[in-house]
Amino acid sequence: MAENKWDAQRYAQNARFVSNLGMPVVELLAPVSGESILDLGCGDGALTAKLAALGVHVFGIDSSQSMITAAAQRGLPVALADMHDFHLNRIFDAVFTNAVLHWTQDIHATVASVQRHLHAGGRFVGEFGGFGNIAAIATAIRAAVELEGAPQPTFSWYYPTPSEFKAVLDAHGFDTISIELIPRPTPLPTGMSGWLRTFAQPFGDGLPAEVQERILDRAVTLLQPALQDKEGNWVADYVRLRFHAVQRPAISGA
Ligand code: BEZ
């Protein structure tokens, strides 16, 4: 992930809903006071702070310096680290992750890193974009780019089906306790334009600013009938993949 992509202030303005909607995942994690939990992709620490308030010994990692600075300002123990290959020299009772795994460029490397940081029997619990996530939004961007005669962007988001992700977990020694796709139309406080500016920058990479603006405006127009209600409120067509996995005990003598 490009380091400068995540500005904590802009993210808080356009995407505070990401952490606000993360509480059901915290409930699935069922944190217990005194246990140690790694927040993988902690962002500005909004959910990490909620875990800490429950008496959990939290540690957060994120690949954005801006986010890590914002999380540290909350007084949280955090470190800059890449989800694909991190080495923290300690292990945890659980790894928690919200709205992060869809950014991975290599899910096997990411889950292998998680696995290395868990006690035997440790929990890996989280939520991220699943199969079908933002299908309408991505299609509208592609159509707007096509109408402009510009090269198609490569979106490399990882949106697996439950069976695909279960197979990844299994390959890294996790038993899946629960896994489900949850369609979750998500209100966008700063509208579709705010969302596209925060999250979908690759659509305009290398194009002149005025072409980017035209693509953005056209994508917004194309999406209006599907994702804006009559009062002008926007939702994003999010589909979440929520999972709870547990590290399998190593077979002795193996
Ligand atoms: C998501 O949370 O599903 C998401 C966020 C940004 C870009 C794409 C998807």
Side-chain angles (χ1 to χ4, degrees), residues 6 17-18 99-100 102-103 128-130 133-134 157 159 184 195 199-200 238-240:
W6 299 112
F17 64 86
V18 174
V100 168
H102 47 251
W103 297 110
F128 61 107
N133 194 49
I134 62 160
W157 295 311
Y159 298 145
R184 195 195 66 198
W195 190 94
F199 287 125
Y238 278 11
V239 178
R240 306 286 85 183

Side-chain angles (χ1 to χ4, degrees), residues 1-51:
M1 193 188 305
E3 159 53 31
N4 58 6
K5 205 164 101 179
W6 299 112
D7 171 69
Q9 213 176 352
R10 189 162 62 127
Y11 192 87
Q13 275 158 9
N14 288 318
R16 172 53 63 223
F17 64 86
V18 174
S19 51
N20 288 348
L21 294 172
M23 282 315 281
V25 200
V26 173
E27 280 158 31
L28 185 63
L29 174 68
V32 174
S33 177
E35 65 179 354
S36 60
I37 299 186
L38 172 67
D39 186 353
L40 170 63
C42 63
D44 66 5
L47 282 174
T48 329
K50 291 205 186 323
L51 296 177

